[in-house]
């Protein structure tokens, strides 16, 4: 009986989430209200707020799922990998299973369209960047633990995560405004940009 109740709750949450993302991507985030979302699913506002604190949380929920998938991937990397390599491999290999992770909640195509909405909506982009800062701190602590370091005394974990996060932010921006807006394109951009980190940081850019 308990399992049945939990499955029903999960279905309700996913229905609300899918309805919210469909409305955000077709009507616009600012022009969509909680009333619009609950009307699409035929539930009450009270039900919506049982699963989401507000519209923003619903808008970012699937992105948060993808981020959690990546963080779990970093935790699972072999201990012999250097910090930047562990971060790189976690994100690159994570793309291979991300499709299944997203599809378990909403269609991947809807997730991709929502990413464009986030990038073009100041309130959502600010929330996304704020959350990214929190993830950076969590990653720095994971890296420090992997390396046996005190994250408060050694700047290297936060430094390497800051470099990695900067690359990912550039990649996200290029991806969201590019002509090819699929997961494969994002994976290719990620690999390409991460491979340029070393030469960009230590190389001589001058051609003369």
């Amino acid at each position: 009986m308990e399992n049945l109740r939990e499955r029903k709750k999960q279905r309700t949450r996913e229905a609300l989430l899918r309805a919210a993302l469909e409305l955000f991507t077709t009507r616009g985030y600012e022009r969509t209200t909680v009333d619009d979302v609950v009307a699409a699913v035929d539930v009450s506002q009270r039900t919506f707020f049982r699963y989401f604190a507000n519209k923003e949380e619903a808008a970012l929920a699937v992105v948060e799922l993808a981020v959690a998938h990546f963080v779990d991937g970093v935790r699972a990397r072999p201990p012999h990998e250097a910090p930047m390599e562990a971060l790189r491999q976690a994100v690159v290999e994570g793309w291979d299973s991300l499709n299944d992770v997203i599809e378990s909640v909403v269609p991947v195509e809807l997730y991709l369209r929502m990413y464009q909405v986030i990038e073009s909506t100041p309130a959502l982009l600010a929330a996304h960047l704020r959350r990214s800062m929190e993830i950076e701190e969590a990653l720095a602590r994971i890296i420090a633990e992997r390396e046996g370091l005190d994250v408060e005394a050694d700047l290297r974990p936060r430094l390497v995560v800051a470099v990695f996060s900067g690359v990912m932010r550039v990649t996200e921006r290029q991806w969201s405004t590019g002509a090819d807006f699929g997961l494969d394109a994002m994976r290719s951009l990620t690999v390409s940009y991460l491979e340029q980190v070393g030469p960009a940081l230590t190389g001589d850019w001058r051609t003369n």
Side-chain angles (χ1 to χ4, degrees):
M1 189 69 174
E2 185 65 26
N3 287 341
L4 182 62
R5 187 178 298 112
E6 289 304 315
R7 285 198 299 272
K8 183 177 179 180
K9 288 181 180 179
Q10 184 66 21
R11 285 196 299 270
T12 300
R13 184 183 186 279
E14 290 174 2
L16 284 165
L17 182 56
R18 182 166 182 166
L21 298 194
E22 288 283 6
L23 288 166
F24 295 156
T25 55
T26 55
R27 183 180 300 181
Y29 177 76
E30 301 292 355
R31 292 189 294 275
T32 299
T33 66
V34 171
D35 283 337
D36 294 329
V37 176
V38 299
V41 184
D42 195 22
V43 296
S44 65
Q45 268 202 10
R46 182 179 178 182
T47 299
F48 178 90
F49 289 117
R50 190 178 299 145
Y51 297 99
F52 304 103
N54 46 45
K55 271 200 320 177
E56 178 186 290
E57 187 174 298
L60 297 175
V62 184
V63 173
E64 291 286 317
L65 182 65
V67 169
H69 179 61
F70 163 65
V71 173
D72 287 344
V74 175
R75 287 196 182 97
R77 295 310 304 169
H80 68 268
E81 289 181 344
M84 183 59 86
E85 182 63 12
L87 292 167
R88 179 186 181 280
Q89 289 300 112
V91 73
V92 171
E93 293 185 16
W95 287 116
D96 298 333
S97 52
L98 183 60
N99 193 79
D100 291 339
V101 172
I102 299 303
E103 283 283 355
S104 70
V105 181
V106 299
V108 168
E109 184 270 338
L110 182 56
Y111 162 72
L112 298 178
R113 285 194 285 130
M114 190 61 212
Y115 229 112
Q116 289 181 311
V117 173
I118 292 169
E119 287 287 331
S120 62
T121 305
L124 287 180
L125 182 57
H128 176 51
L129 295 178
R130 183 176 66 249
R131 178 58 177 148
S132 294
M133 293 175 64
E134 296 171 0
I135 296 300
E136 285 181 27
E137 180 63 18
L139 287 172
R141 292 180 179 278
I142 291 170
I143 294 296
E145 183 178 351
R146 279 172 53 92
E147 301 300 312
L149 303 175
D150 180 353
V151 74
E152 302 303 338
D154 195 315
L155 61 81
R156 288 175 295 175
R158 287 194 175 100
L159 183 59
V160 74
V161 168
V163 171
F164 175 83
S165 297
V167 174
M168 292 306 300
R169 181 64 199 133
V170 171
T171 306
E172 282 182 353
R173 192 159 57 242
Q174 291 296 108
W175 176 54
S176 66
T177 58
D180 187 348
F181 196 64
L183 283 182
D184 288 342
M186 178 56 164
R187 189 183 194 282
S188 296
L189 274 178
T190 301
V191 171
S192 174
Y193 283 21
L194 286 174
E195 286 177 348
Q196 296 178 53
V197 171
L201 294 179
T202 61
D204 184 350
W205 299 357
R206 291 169 295 183
T207 57
N208 297 326

